[in-house]
Amino acid sequence: MAATSPTPALTAERILEATEEVLRRHGPAKATVVDVARALGVSHGSVYRHFRTKAALREAVTKRWLDRTSEQLSGIAAGDRDPEARLRDWLRALFDAKRRKAGADPELFATYMVLVDENGPAVTEHIADLTGQLTAIIADGAGTGVFTVPDPAAAARTVFQATGRFHDPGYAREWVRPEAEADFGALVELLLRGLSPR
């Protein structure tokens, strides 16, 4: 008789992976905790031991999705290269990550837009993390004289808001326009000139 492989332990990470797949198949309106449990081959009570409510599960999967972008960008922000190059690369990586998410899996992207609207705290935390990364880059630039800004945190918020068209999911349809790439490049150069000493 062949030995069966043991079932992997039920972890929060496995539940979140299954939830993402269920959301992709059913959408946020129809996906249930029972569907997630069924996909994992466990009872829905087992899922509730990790996430006390459906809302908590949806918030966790939204946070996980947003954190992927933050983690990708944190390596650029924490680097020791020239702050101007880091800022340019960080903005490019943010635009590319958001555009990739929208284009590679449009159904899941649309699902996450619904979840993001439901989970204000997760979005607020995500934006705070991203503007914190920008602040670190701009502060490094101010410290070395590459940028001339009296308040790096205020400058970071301004840069984040000014580039919103290239990372705010509400503009996702515009990211595929032929002129989007040139518009993005022109905006980044304008911002860098504004931060640099005159």
Side-chain angles (χ1 to χ4, degrees), residues 8-46:
L10 186 64
T11 63
E13 186 63 22
R14 279 192 63 221
I15 293 169
L16 293 174
E17 287 171 5
T19 302
E20 194 169 273
E21 195 52 47
V22 166
L23 286 166
R24 182 181 281 113
R25 277 198 312 261
H26 301 293
K30 294 182 181 176
T32 67
V33 174
V34 171
D35 294 325
V36 173
R38 189 176 300 124
L40 290 163
V42 300
S43 71
H44 65 280
S46 297

Side-chain angles (χ1 to χ4, degrees), residues 157-171:
R157 287 191 303 275
T158 300
V159 168
F160 191 77
Q161 291 164 1
T163 56
R165 184 173 157 206
F166 300 99
H167 56 76
D168 183 325
Y171 292 97

Side-chain angles (χ1 to χ4, degrees), residues 9-181:
L10 186 64
T11 63
E13 186 63 22
R14 279 192 63 221
I15 293 169
L16 293 174
E17 287 171 5
T19 302
E20 194 169 273
E21 195 52 47
V22 166
L23 286 166
R24 182 181 281 113
R25 277 198 312 261
H26 301 293
K30 294 182 181 176
T32 67
V33 174
V34 171
D35 294 325
V36 173
R38 189 176 300 124
L40 290 163
V42 300
S43 71
H44 65 280
S46 297
V47 174
Y48 281 124
R49 279 194 278 283
H50 289 271
F51 300 97
R52 296 186 59 167
T53 64
K54 179 180 178 180
L57 177 57
R58 288 165 75 103
E59 183 175 347
V61 80
T62 303
K63 184 178 183 319
R64 178 178 185 254
W65 188 69
L66 294 171
D67 285 350
R68 287 181 189 144
T69 301
S70 297
E71 289 164 10
Q72 289 172 352
L73 297 170
S74 65
I76 298 169
D80 57 1
R81 296 179 313 125
D82 168 61
E84 184 176 312
R86 280 169 39 218
L87 180 56
R88 184 181 275 112
D89 290 350
W90 191 93
L91 291 169
R92 161 57 61 196
L94 177 61
F95 182 31
D96 288 348
K98 296 290 184 168
R99 190 164 46 177
R100 191 168 41 253
K101 283 182 178 183
D105 197 342
E107 293 82 13
L108 192 58
F109 186 78
T111 292
Y112 274 112
M113 292 310 91
V114 172
L115 296 181
V116 161
D117 284 345
E118 291 176 3
N119 292 291
V123 175
T124 301
E125 183 181 312
H126 177 65
I127 291 171
D129 182 37
L130 295 182
T131 54
Q133 291 181 26
L134 272 175
T135 300
I137 296 170
I138 293 171
D140 284 353
T144 60
V146 173
F147 300 140
T148 303
V149 293
D151 183 348
R157 287 191 303 275
T158 300
V159 168
F160 191 77
Q161 291 164 1
T163 56
R165 184 173 157 206
F166 300 99
H167 56 76
D168 183 325
Y171 292 97
R173 288 185 179 157
E174 294 188 21
W175 300 341
V176 295
R177 293 180 310 116
E179 61 270 27
E181 195 61 42

